[in-house]
Amino acid sequence: LKYHFFTTSNNLTMKSFAPLLLLPSAAAFSSSSIPNTRASTALHGVNGIWNNANDFGKGKFRFYDGLDSYMKPFPDEDRELYPEMFKLPKGTYEVPLSKPCGIIFEEIESKCGVYVADLVEGGNAYSQGVIQKGDVLVGMTAVQIAGAKWERRLIPARKFGFDLVVDAIGSNDIKWGCNNVILMLERPGEADSEEVDKFLEFFEPPADTPWKLPV
């Protein structure tokens, strides 16, 4: 099935969540320091980007506006020790887009993964000239709301179906300070999907968010 992504729905139901503790060091996401049997859970507990309940909506990580600015709070020591976490994996790129995006997505499998089937001629993505047919969506910004507070985060999206993609993009609304949505895409033939997924583990949300898929 192909979907014309001209408009998005902003009528979303958001859940509050209990994020995790902050650690200001990228040493937290060194894969060698995490036991294989609990890699995902351990990573969540120490990666330092999900604020706990009282700090939700505050701090340096509350708004994702691109990888460079988002990782800026980490010290130079971390950049030297873990350089792979401060740059996008090969064959992967970020694109900030105004809405409507002008992308025709097609699901890779039913409700699991989307790729760019086509671009709307004259649309925002077409005019920008970066996104190509066949690119796979692997991440995107989405807004999380808890009461009167909110945050915009980068969310891994490789397994998102079309409906969840629409909801996530639609959550990037101007009322939350979003003048764009940031898409992270993987170019087949240039990217190593396993390397990309490992990189995106750092951004994996807690279980009780609307952007976390069931395991």
Side-chain angles (χ1 to χ4, degrees), residues 6-207:
F6 300 138
T7 59
T8 58
S9 170
N10 294 323
N11 297 321
L12 308 177
T13 300
M14 303 291 186
K15 301 176 183 177
S16 62
F17 64 89
L20 300 154
L21 298 178
L22 174 65
L23 272 182
S25 173
F29 50 72
S30 168
S31 59
S32 62
S33 65
I34 301 172
N36 291 334
T37 56
R38 298 189 61 193
S40 180
T41 302
L43 186 65
H44 293 169
V46 298
N47 67 19
I49 65 167
W50 290 98
N51 296 324
N52 61 29
N54 291 331
D55 291 330
F56 180 76
K58 305 175 183 177
K60 299 175 181 178
F61 298 104
R62 66 179 296 272
F63 192 92
Y64 188 94
D65 199 27
L67 182 66
D68 289 344
S69 62
Y70 200 70
M71 302 299 281
K72 189 175 181 180
F74 289 102
D76 290 340
E77 179 183 2
D78 285 344
R79 297 174 187 276
E80 295 174 1
L81 290 172
Y82 311 101
E84 69 278 4
M85 292 307 301
F86 292 88
K87 61 181 180 180
L88 293 172
K90 180 182 178 182
T92 306
Y93 61 95
E94 288 185 328
V95 180
L97 283 174
S98 299
K99 299 186 295 181
C101 298
I103 300 174
I104 300 174
F105 282 123
E106 183 172 348
E107 288 187 333
I108 298 171
E109 299 179 16
S110 179
K111 299 182 179 180
C112 184
V114 300
Y115 73 95
V116 178
D118 207 349
L119 302 175
V120 178
E121 188 171 354
N124 288 325
Y126 181 92
S127 299
Q128 196 173 59
V130 178
I131 298 175
Q132 296 182 7
K133 294 180 184 180
D135 289 348
V136 176
L137 182 69
V138 294
M140 61 200 307
T141 51
V143 173
Q144 171 77 39
I145 304 168
K149 299 179 180 180
W150 58 271
E151 296 186 349
R152 181 168 98 155
R153 302 306 189 102
L154 177 73
I155 306 295
R158 184 184 295 280
K159 296 183 179 180
F160 279 17
F162 178 76
D163 290 342
L164 194 54
V165 169
V166 170
D167 286 348
I169 294 181
S171 73
N172 291 263
D173 193 88
I174 191 66
K175 65 183 176 182
W176 310 121
C178 307
N179 59 10
N180 62 25
V181 57
I182 296 178
L183 304 182
M184 184 178 291
L185 297 110
E186 173 186 286
R187 186 147 295 162
E190 298 182 15
D192 181 331
S193 295
E194 291 186 3
E195 179 184 345
V196 174
D197 289 344
K198 182 177 180 181
F199 171 83
L200 285 170
E201 285 179 357
F202 179 63
F203 299 94
E204 192 69 35

